[in-house]
Amino acid sequence: MQKVSLYFENGLFLEARSFGAEGTAVGEIVFNTSMTGYQEIVTDPSYAGQFVTFTMTEIGNVGCNAQDMESRGAFCKGILVRQYQKRPSNFRSEEPLDALLKRFGVMGICDIDTRYLTRMIRNQGAMEMIASTEIHDKEELKKRLEAAPRIEEINYIEEVSTDEPYVHEEGRYDAKTFRYEKPQTSKKIVAYDFGIKRNILNELTHAGIRVEVIPNDTPAEQVIERFQAGEIDGVFLSNGPGDPLILHDEKERTQKLLDARIPMFGICLGHQMLSIAHGYDTYKLKFGHHGGNHPVKNVEKGTVEITAQNHNYNVPESLTEVAEVTHVNLFDNTIEGVRYKEEPVMSVQHHPEASPGPHESAYIFKEFYEML
């Protein structure tokens, strides 16, 4: 481990120790309150452009393995942890977290007061930061941070989306047999890849849906033609990173799909894109929702579900003009799910695939299947 220097948008300058990749990186800092699942978080493409502060004090203790990868790589800028455990102990471990971070160019920062950082973000909001193992002069770090583009100015979807279409056939992972199930499917959809997570695909397949993942820039006309020809039954809009308001091409394609009255389901960024395509722009939360312990009320059933969440943006209350609210966050009463009144379209802000996190919202995938 070597010294790493950190400079934050609010003027804070800190020194810590580094593991993982070396170099200099700029991004937005957020905190995640999940107690487990650091590998799933690190490999979630929705964190592209961000530094993730873990509130769980010890990270790295169970190592990493190919089974728990949520995507083809790791796209966050870095992670900040109180204590990094470099000697993992778990029968499923194939490599230490340090090796995974190095392979994908992600910085690891440890021996730092993550409780202080979490309180700072909670009170002041998510902010830009720079971390470097090469530059240790405060003024130089400040200069570089001020010159760098902000996360809301960068389209990270172009980095995380697939280049070529592919079919996903695996279902849920069976912890008893250590294998993925091969469910029978009776419906077919295409899934726009804005940064899709592997376990979302697993849950869609488990629900009985054959999924073809397509690049984010796939023309809507191609999808509409396949729907009208009976080749597919619907469209899924995936999770993804960054500010949805800069995704003008994705907005236009979503509007065309809505005009064709194709059944659609969106999660996280997909949920936000459906709102924007209907004319209701999203807004940024102060520090976002990131963790595996967020209580959400199912308005229709009157029940409470503990959910996994990862988003900095939210849909507005005015969306109720065209959609019925199905889910509400009990931390701050923000909208967590909707069903559109005049269209076969539904979406949720939280992550019902729960990877990591609880599985209480997995029924939503079956609801999409039934809508199809």
Side-chain angles (χ1 to χ4, degrees):
M1 292 185 183
Q2 61 176 300
K3 184 172 75 170
V4 56
S5 295
L6 293 76
Y7 181 81
F8 300 82
E9 189 176 2
N10 63 357
L12 177 67
F13 176 74
L14 297 174
E15 292 182 348
R17 307 291 290 177
S18 79
F19 63 100
E22 300 175 0
T24 302
V26 175
E28 180 181 58
I29 182 172
V30 297
F31 65 84
N32 187 295
T33 58
S34 293
M35 299 290 285
T36 61
Y38 58 77
Q39 183 182 347
E40 290 92 328
I41 293 167
V42 168
T43 59
D44 179 351
S46 295
Y47 281 110
Q50 293 181 320
F51 284 90
V52 183
T53 302
F54 285 96
T55 60
M56 181 62 180
T57 54
E58 189 167 309
I59 298 294
N61 51 323
V62 295
C64 298
N65 63 80
Q67 208 72 63
D68 291 341
M69 294 289 290
E70 279 296 325
S71 67
R72 67 179 184 276
F75 299 96
C76 59
K77 292 291 186 176
I79 62 173
L80 296 91
V81 307
R82 178 67 187 92
Q83 180 173 314
Y84 170 60
Q85 176 54 260
K86 60 183 179 181
R87 291 183 294 274
S89 177
N90 187 278
F91 75 99
R92 297 177 68 236
S93 178
E94 298 170 357
E95 63 177 344
L97 175 59
D98 172 77
L100 183 145
L101 296 182
K102 286 180 178 177
R103 189 163 69 253
F104 295 112
V106 176
M107 298 185 73
I109 300 165
C110 64
D111 296 346
I112 193 168
D113 190 344
T114 52
R115 176 172 293 184
Y116 174 83
L117 291 177
T118 300
R119 293 178 66 183
M120 180 184 76
I121 299 166
R122 185 193 66 189
N123 294 334
Q124 300 180 35
M127 65 184 72
E128 295 288 311
M129 64 164 283
I130 182 171
S132 179
T133 58
E134 309 162 316
I135 305 167
H136 303 289
D137 180 72
K138 176 181 177 181
E139 293 304 316
E140 179 62 21
L141 290 172
K142 178 182 178 181
K143 180 181 176 181
R144 295 206 179 196
L145 178 62
E146 291 174 346
R150 301 180 64 84
I151 189 170
E152 56 265 26
E153 300 171 343
I154 304 172
N155 184 349
Y156 281 105
I157 291 178
E158 296 174 351
E159 176 184 336
V160 301
S161 180
T162 182
D163 294 326
E164 299 292 336
Y166 64 93
V167 175
H168 184 88
E169 297 180 336
E170 294 177 342
R172 288 178 177 173
Y173 180 69
D174 189 333
K176 295 181 180 179
T177 63
F178 303 108
R179 295 178 181 177
Y180 285 98
E181 63 181 14
K182 298 289 185 180
Q184 294 294 318
T185 57
S186 57
K187 298 292 182 182
K188 297 177 292 183
I189 67 167
V190 293
Y192 270 95
D193 182 6
F194 301 146
I196 201 163
K197 292 175 64 181
R198 179 183 186 182
N199 212 45
I200 286 179
L201 297 173
N202 294 347
E203 290 292 336
L204 286 167
T205 306
H206 176 80
I209 304 170
R210 183 178 184 270
V211 187
E212 179 185 342
V213 183
I214 59 177
N216 69 296
D217 59 357
T218 303
E221 291 78 7
Q222 291 184 12
V223 176
I224 293 170
E225 183 178 340
R226 294 181 64 183
F227 174 70
Q228 293 174 342
E231 294 181 19
I232 60 172
D233 300 297
V235 171
F236 175 74
L237 303 180
S238 84
N239 61 294
D243 187 344
L245 290 179
I246 70 170
L247 305 178
H248 304 297
D249 293 339
E250 285 78 5
K251 172 186 174 181
E252 182 179 344
R253 282 190 282 271
T254 304
Q255 288 173 329
K256 291 179 179 178
L257 296 172
L258 289 169
D259 290 341
R261 296 194 61 80
I262 300 178
M264 284 198 285
F265 175 35
I267 288 179
C268 204
L269 179 62
H271 167 76
Q272 297 160 9
M273 288 307 306
L274 286 167
S275 175
I276 294 170
H278 279 90
Y280 298 86
D281 287 352
T282 54
Y283 65 95
K284 189 169 185 176
L285 297 165
K286 184 177 181 180
F287 48 81
H289 297 164
H290 309 278
N293 57 354
H294 286 243
V296 166
K297 182 178 180 179
N298 183 315
V299 177
E300 297 172 328
K301 298 179 181 178
T303 55
V304 176
E305 305 157 14
I306 303 302
T307 68
Q309 308 221 358
N310 175 25
H311 61 101
N312 270 22
Y313 300 87
N314 224 75
V315 301
E317 290 291 332
S318 55
L319 184 61
T320 55
E321 295 172 357
V322 296
E324 297 285 348
V325 175
T326 58
H327 298 80
V328 175
N329 189 300
L330 294 181
F331 277 158
D332 58 10
N333 293 317
T334 53
I335 295 174
E336 288 287 348
V338 297
R339 183 177 290 108
Y340 287 84
K341 297 176 182 179
E342 305 296 333
E343 301 156 305
V345 179
M346 57 183 285
S347 63
V348 292
Q349 183 62 74
H350 55 284
H351 282 262
E353 82 284 353
S355 185
H359 298 84
E360 297 173 24
S361 300
Y363 65 88
I364 294 174
F365 293 98
K366 199 65 177 179
E367 289 185 352
F368 178 47
Y369 171 85
E370 293 168 354
M371 187 179 77
L372 293 175

